[in-house]
Amino acid sequence: MKKVLIVEDDIEIIRLLEIHLKDLGCQVLTAIRGDIGLQKAINENPDLIILDVMLPEMDGIEICQKIRAREIKTPIMMLTARSEEIDKVLGLEVGADDYLTKPFSVREFIARVKGHF
């Protein structure tokens, strides 16, 4: 069973993602604050991290940098409302493997998740 960590502060998005990830047979962990998400990323050894950029306590860019600084190779998918080209480039340059903007297609989300397994 694949373990997926969702670091997102919007409860409705978390619920939506949980439903579809569980349909894929995944175990789902969540965090609504950046600092807690970072600790779970380090301690829980997820197979995929889904990471919002705009989070309380620590933003997703900083989380991604800290994860990569620890040489953790877990795939990171940024899932964020920040859709400007510079935001996408920054996310990928700091170590994200994928970048999906909100609003997003659930079908595309599922296909991207499957692509990381």
Side-chain angles (χ1 to χ4, degrees), residues 61-87:
I61 298 296
E62 186 177 355
I63 294 167
C64 188
Q65 288 172 319
K66 290 179 184 271
I67 289 169
R68 294 306 186 225
R70 289 176 165 266
E71 298 187 8
I72 297 170
K73 304 294 184 200
T74 304
I76 297 173
M77 179 192 301
M78 295 278 194
L79 180 63
T80 179
R82 306 221 29 182
S83 61
E84 296 295 320
E85 180 182 25
I86 189 68
D87 297 313

Side-chain angles (χ1 to χ4, degrees), residues 80-111:
T80 179
R82 306 221 29 182
S83 61
E84 296 295 320
E85 180 182 25
I86 189 68
D87 297 313
K88 294 175 187 179
V89 170
L90 177 61
L92 296 168
E93 284 183 345
V94 299
D97 300 283
D98 203 351
Y99 197 103
L100 186 61
T101 58
K102 298 174 189 172
F104 59 94
S105 155
V106 171
R107 286 183 181 167
E108 181 180 0
F109 169 77
I110 291 168

Side-chain angles (χ1 to χ4, degrees), residues 1-115:
M1 177 179 289
K2 298 290 187 180
K3 188 186 309 183
V4 179
L5 170 61
I6 302 169
V7 187
E8 167 67 61
D9 61 342
D10 184 325
I11 300 299
E12 294 303 315
I13 291 176
I14 290 173
R15 287 184 183 142
L16 174 69
L17 298 180
E18 272 185 312
I19 289 167
H20 293 287
L21 289 168
K22 287 180 179 178
D23 284 348
L24 293 174
C26 298
Q27 175 188 355
V28 179
L29 307 171
T30 63
I32 60 172
R33 291 184 9 200
D35 55 338
I36 294 173
L38 176 60
Q39 288 306 309
K40 286 186 177 185
I42 293 167
N43 298 326
E44 298 290 339
N45 195 29
D47 297 294
L48 174 65
I49 300 167
I50 298 169
L51 182 60
D52 189 7
V53 172
M54 296 177 285
L55 293 162
E57 305 305 321
M58 182 183 300
D59 70 45
I61 298 296
E62 186 177 355
I63 294 167
C64 188
Q65 288 172 319
K66 290 179 184 271
I67 289 169
R68 294 306 186 225
R70 289 176 165 266
E71 298 187 8
I72 297 170
K73 304 294 184 200
T74 304
I76 297 173
M77 179 192 301
M78 295 278 194
L79 180 63
T80 179
R82 306 221 29 182
S83 61
E84 296 295 320
E85 180 182 25
I86 189 68
D87 297 313
K88 294 175 187 179
V89 170
L90 177 61
L92 296 168
E93 284 183 345
V94 299
D97 300 283
D98 203 351
Y99 197 103
L100 186 61
T101 58
K102 298 174 189 172
F104 59 94
S105 155
V106 171
R107 286 183 181 167
E108 181 180 0
F109 169 77
I110 291 168
R112 287 177 183 249
V113 167
K114 287 179 179 178

